[in-house]
Amino acid sequence: MPTNYPTPSSDSPRGPEDLAGTTLALLEELVRNACENDLTPDSGQEVRNAETLEAFFAGTPVTTRRIEPHPGRVSLIVTIEGTDPQAEPLTLLGHTDVVPVDAPAWSRDPFGAEIVDGQIWGRGTVDMMGLTAAMAVVTREIATSGRPHGTLTFAAVADEEARGGLGAGWITAHQPDAFDWRNCISEFGGSHLQASDGSDAVVVAVGEKGAAQRRLTVHTQPGHGSMPWRKTSAVQKIAEVATRLAQMPLPSAHDDLWRHFVSFFRFDPATEQALLAGASDEVYEAFGDLAPYAHAVSHLTVAETVVGAGKAINVIPGTASLELDIRTLPGQTDDDVDQTLRAALGDLAEEVEIERLISAEATVSPTDTPLYTAIEETIKEFFPDSAVVPVIGSGGSDMQFTRPLGGLGYGFSLYHRESTLGQMLRRWHATDEHLSVADLELTVAALHRLVTRFVGSH
């Protein structure tokens, strides 16, 4: 049963408590809609969340538009036209699908949206229904308080977890004018870093690594499993390929983002120099629980994820394959990736077929823009003594489509100091995913302040 949300009135502006309560109620419903995306076309069924959001905006002075490239895979675009055509627009880019759950492994109902001990539990609370709900609430609040100077759009898109093929990616390819891509706010921002001297910082995502997925295939002579004498199974060969790749050195980063990130922690000079030089893996232990993230955003990474060989137990297979989830740094190309793989394979390189699967360049937005400045100023209102540190995401988001179109994309939320980047990363796609209600309240308050600062409000 849909929630009956109170409709805001321009005659009685609401306070932070009202916005927070409405955001929490909307988040509960979005989580319970259980829009699980298992990367197949008929999964997701984000139509459920689209209908929830349509009901939420009913009677509000906005224009709404449905985009449905496949049955049930619905994106909803909500727009408030600005009063000044020359003013900068802003798009709040949220997604409405979630990754699948292993329900027996959860200690609570993954789609129950239970609130226990100040936390709301459920798949999508962190990634990214909490922020999507806050975006919807802020958009409706702006709409009912008078038109902004710049056009404000809330895009609740499908299929982000499958790299946007039926969501933002499909829209950019087929209906790129569905909304304005020039200034976009999305996920992976707002958590905190803490330096060795006690200093605090809030992270803002300004970019993300690229994708260079590969399938490696080897061939040998097949034979009967009862007579393996002097026969090399394709399994043996692909195992050697996997071993060599696991041992290869990985190209590392030396850009300004990495230097800025490292310098914030105020490590001793020797550790800082080793990190900036791309030294051995052991030095990353200085980051503590952030070590996996720090290593990922400073290197080309290669994860061996899928292996295939053979069909019958009594047949020595003649073909085997290994699939790789490869994430690139800004400036690294597909040719760079293939060259790195072939160098690692050495004398096996000529015997291995390298097939390119999904490829997407790493993207980064500059930090000398009016939108980034507005983000910094907003964070400073809430945390005046905290630094603001730009970072890149180790995974992907829908902002990968913003930047190639010439737009800006930044990840923005706002959490309390105890919600560190390491802690939030552990909840991303995790069993027992949960979000602090206090962090949700802070996010909607900060987002409302950012939107009114950037596009204005009456």
Side-chain angles (χ1 to χ4, degrees), residues 440-453:
L440 182 69
E441 294 171 348
L442 183 55
T443 288
V444 71
L447 185 63
H448 185 264
R449 189 70 194 95
L450 172 62
V451 172
T452 55
R453 169 178 270 118

Side-chain angles (χ1 to χ4, degrees), residues 2-3 5 22-23 26-27 29-30 33 35 46-60 62 64-66 74-78 92 94-97 129 131-137 139-140 154-158:
T3 303
Y5 301 101
T22 303
T23 305
L26 180 57
L27 173 56
E29 190 168 350
L30 295 176
N33 284 337
C35 297
E46 296 91 340
V47 61
R48 296 192 289 270
N49 275 339
E51 290 174 348
T52 290
L53 291 167
E54 284 178 319
F56 180 77
F57 282 99
T60 306
V62 298
T64 61
R65 175 182 178 182
R66 275 191 177 211
V74 177
S75 296
L76 186 69
I77 314 302
V78 180
L92 306 178
H95 68 80
T96 55
D97 62 323
M129 297 306 151
L131 181 54
T132 298
M135 289 173 169
V137 169
T139 301
R140 194 178 74 162
F154 166 52
V157 298

Side-chain angles (χ1 to χ4, degrees), residues 7 20 25 44 53 68 73 87 96 114 130 137 147 153 159 231 268 292 302 347 361 372 396 415 428 433:
T7 302
L53 291 167
E68 188 172 8
R73 311 306 299 272
T96 55
E114 298 176 65
V137 169
R147 290 171 61 192
T153 302
D159 204 36
K231 287 188 172 66
D268 62 85
V302 180
D347 60 354
E361 291 185 3
Y372 189 84
Y415 303 143
W428 219 269
E433 182 179 349

Side-chain angles (χ1 to χ4, degrees), residues 61 80-85 142-151 455-458:
I80 312 169
E81 289 294 334
T83 59
D84 182 359
I142 296 293
T144 55
S145 61
R147 290 171 61 192
H149 300 303
T151 294
V455 297
S457 172
H458 293 289

